[in-house]
Amino acid sequence: MDRIVCVQCPVGCKIKFEIVDGKIAKVEGNKCPRGLAYLEDELREPKRIVPTSVKIIGGNYPLVSVKTSAPIPKKYIPELMKKLRQIEINAPVKAGDIIVKNIFDTGVDIIATRTVSKNSQ
Amino acid sequence: MKTDVLVIGAGAAGMAAALSAAKNGARVILTDRDERAGGILNQCIHNGFGLHYFKEELTGPEYAERFSTLLENYQITLLTDCHVHNVKPDRKAVLVSPKGVFEVETKSIVYTAGARERPFGTLMIPGDRPSGIFTAGVAQKYMNIENRIIGKRALILGSGDIGMIMARRLTLEGVEVVAVIERLPYSGGLLRNVIQCLEDYNIPLYLSSTVVEVRGKERLEEVVVAQVDNNYRPIPGTERIFKVDTLVLSVGLIPQVELLWGLVQLDPISKGVSCSNIGQSSSEWIFSAGNCTVVYDLVDYVTMEGEKAGKYAAHYAKGERFETGVPIEIGENVGVIFPRRYVSGEDLVLYIRSKKPIEGATLVVGNFERRFEDVMPSEMIRIKIPSQKIMGFERIVVSLKEE
Ligand SMILES: Cc1cc2nc3c(=O)[nH]c(=O)nc-3n(C[C@H](O)[C@H](O)[C@H](O)COP(=O)(O)OP(=O)(O)OC[C@H]3O[C@@H](n4cnc5c(N)ncnc54)[C@H](O)[C@@H]3O)c2cc1C
Ligand code: SF4
């Protein structure tokens, strides 16, 4: 059987699987259903959550950390980074706020993962 | 100032300890020398936190925020920008903040000061001492908090999780990462990070290799890497030169314990505060949890141990007293364990790191046995041992038997 490691969470299950006629015939080792979804994606179109940061003006931090609200296809990552580097937003921002909606038409948003309040000075 | 429980350090462990002490009826002061609560979580902007505790995967700042907003609902005085300078045996601590120096009188302490990174100087690498050499945590703080780029071309020494996460972070920010160098014959971190941080970005990982020289006048120019033998000695003739302006070190964390020197017993192996399973140190009024006791992989476990230490510190402040418990000892193939003493009553939650990778190992603790398929030093085992399996033992030996 083939083996892959699920990267969806730090448990890192070692998933064993068998492909018959292009279909997944047998799967074992995943501790939760997300592992199966991961395997399917990995065979068709690998996806990742991308954590990074975006410039913020007038905040108590120079950066606000962000992430994709769901895994996006790996092939979009370089383009995503380029796009996020050009963005500047204004403070304040709350964790969970949407910074970019529906990026590259993937249905995935870029959301803030940190609250940045306005600089008091 | 007077309080029931003084918590030193407001990282994951300290916030959890403060909350649980307050829930158990204690007045709490929580201090941190940083401007904000959260500790190391604030700079760990990657996802991978909270799966056990919150049942969802969060980034470090999100995990920290969930706890710091809870602090406001309880009788907790949070003092940021406030360094604990000294702890005295008469249960007083000296605190230093921009507002001045003051003393806190307390009934008990929860010490949650975290770990610090092993610095470049301790590696004894020959060569020049140019700029451009950073520990991973400092590099992470520059990039993720202060928005500073640390260089153009980087080499990373150490394949622990922090090193691999920084390899990806640097790459995403446009810094070319030429390789990750690891002294061991296997990666020092989680497999998922080998995949999503290195393989995804085609960053090579050189195993059984180390840095033998750094060169550069003002800024780093070259790093010399060589393969090592089984005793980690460089093999002459295997040297390779990497032209880089940046070297990032991810060579381990050391529990931060200086403040308690002379007050509590340390674990000679983890170098952290030696505790019983209720988080009590050898000094009965000092409790401890988190990376200053043993270095954890997962913040969820740090939170759980923090909660426990906070709860018992609150009970102690109310006048309850606890047994010292029986010793927990290291047996075959076990590298690090936490805790080091067992007070009967609750089930025993044990944290174990193996000494080496083992395929097929049986964990033996008193009358308890459990088989594991793969054991890696980089993946800490957490296991609950039912109290009836370890009742009546004068000492509890923990071993990992190879098949
Ligand atoms: C780079 C990195 C990546 C990680 N990635 C993951 C991951 O993906 N998933 C996961 O679950 N876990 C991860 N971890 C592990 C987890 O984040 C840590 O184990 C946990 O956050 C440690 O919490 P702590 O409270 O013990 O220490 P810390 O967060 O270090 O907190 C200690 C606090 O004490 C303060 N302090 C120290 N001394 C004093 C003093 N004398 N006076 C006042 N204050 C003081 C410090 O300022 C600090 O804020 C990672 C750790 C690191 C370092
Ligand atoms: S299968 Fe589930 S538990 Fe296992 S690594 Fe994937 S997400 Fe985590």
Side-chain angles (χ1 to χ4, degrees), chain A residues 93-108:
Chain A
V93 163
K94 281 227 303 282
D97 284 358
I98 296 177
I99 306 294
V100 184
K101 223 180 152 46
N102 189 17
I103 190 133
F104 307 133
D105 252 339
T106 50
V108 173

Side-chain angles (χ1 to χ4, degrees), chain A residues 5-15 29-36 38, chain B residues 51:
Chain A
V5 176
C6 177
V7 303
Q8 296 294 83
C9 87
V11 176
C13 294
K14 296 174 184 98
I15 304 177
N30 54 314
K31 293 205 177 101
C32 83
R34 284 166 67 200
L36 181 60
Y38 172 76
Chain B
L51 204 94

Side-chain angles (χ1 to χ4, degrees), chain A residues 7 48 61 85 114-115, chain B residues 36 42 65 172 192 200:
Chain A
V7 303
R48 297 288 184 264
Y61 280 92
R85 223 166 280 145
R114 187 198 309 277
T115 296
Chain B
R36 53 185 82 86
N42 285 319
E65 242 176 85
L172 286 175
R192 77 184 298 238
D200 274 3

Side-chain angles (χ1 to χ4, degrees), chain B residues 126-388:
Chain B
D128 307 322
R129 289 296 176 263
S131 69
I133 302 174
F134 305 89
T135 59
V138 169
Q140 194 179 41
K141 190 165 183 187
Y142 282 165
M143 298 192 67
N144 294 348
I145 306 261
E146 295 172 12
N147 194 22
R148 292 204 262 173
I149 286 286
I150 59 167
K152 293 195 182 75
R153 248 171 90 83
L155 186 75
I156 295 179
L157 177 60
S159 70
D161 292 318
I162 309 172
M164 294 195 283
I165 284 162
M166 281 311 292
R168 173 178 64 180
R169 187 80 206 113
L170 287 161
T171 308
L172 286 175
E173 289 297 343
V175 180
E176 189 189 351
V177 178
V178 296
V180 176
I181 308 297
E182 171 60 56
R183 184 173 83 121
L184 297 169
Y186 48 87
S187 151
L190 301 176
L191 261 174
R192 77 184 298 238
N193 287 330
V194 176
I195 296 163
Q196 62 177 4
C197 296
L198 305 186
E199 289 175 10
D200 274 3
Y201 298 94
N202 300 315
I203 300 169
L205 170 61
Y206 295 110
L207 299 172
S208 299
S209 300
T210 193
V211 169
V212 291
E213 195 184 335
V214 292
R215 297 174 185 157
K217 278 205 194 73
E218 269 159 35
R219 180 75 190 197
L220 181 66
E221 289 161 28
E222 290 181 346
V223 175
V224 187
V225 172
Q227 285 167 23
V228 295
D229 63 20
N230 293 339
N231 298 315
Y232 306 120
R233 273 190 304 255
I235 306 170
T238 62
E239 293 85 358
R240 269 181 77 168
I241 295 175
F242 289 91
K243 294 214 177 294
V244 290
D245 63 3
T246 305
L247 176 64
V248 175
L249 304 171
S250 167
V251 290
L253 298 173
I254 310 164
Q256 188 152 279
V257 292
E258 292 75 1
L259 198 58
L260 299 186
W261 272 348
L263 282 172
V264 301
Q265 248 170 40
L266 300 179
D267 180 331
I269 293 164
S270 76
K271 309 272 191 278
V273 179
S274 180
C275 292
S276 73
N277 59 316
I278 60 167
Q280 192 175 34
S281 77
S282 60
S283 219
E284 62 169 21
W285 59 288
I286 300 178
F287 295 73
S288 186
N291 279 355
C292 57
T293 60
V294 67
V295 175
Y296 289 87
D297 301 336
L298 294 183
V299 68
D300 310 66
Y301 300 161
V302 169
T303 296
M304 293 176 205
E305 292 304 308
E307 285 175 341
K308 210 189 306 176
K311 171 178 138 191
Y312 284 103
H315 286 290
Y316 181 90
K318 277 190 236 157
E320 228 180 284
R321 292 298 175 264
F322 313 103
E323 317 161 23
T324 43
V326 298
I328 301 174
E329 291 172 7
I330 287 184
E332 220 178 308
N333 294 321
V334 171
V336 180
I337 44 172
F338 183 85
R340 296 309 306 264
R341 280 172 291 119
Y342 175 60
V343 179
S344 57
E346 285 187 33
D347 293 342
L348 169 63
V349 178
L350 260 186
Y351 299 89
I352 306 154
R353 265 185 219 285
S354 67
K355 232 182 201 152
K356 56 174 190 187
I358 310 173
E359 247 178 78
T362 304
L363 172 71
V364 184
V365 185
N367 293 328
F368 176 90
E369 285 193 12
R370 166 80 56 87
R371 190 181 176 278
F372 289 87
E373 213 170 293
D374 273 318
V375 197
M376 292 287 286
S378 54
E379 296 184 15
M380 192 182 228
I381 301 170
R382 174 187 196 265
I383 191 151
K384 201 182 234 182
I385 316 281
S387 56
Q388 70 269 22

Side-chain angles (χ1 to χ4, degrees), chain A residues 102-120:
Chain A
N102 189 17
I103 190 133
F104 307 133
D105 252 339
T106 50
V108 173
D109 302 327
I110 305 298
I111 58 171
T113 57
R114 187 198 309 277
T115 296
V116 178
S117 36
K118 267 197 171 148
N119 208 339
S120 36

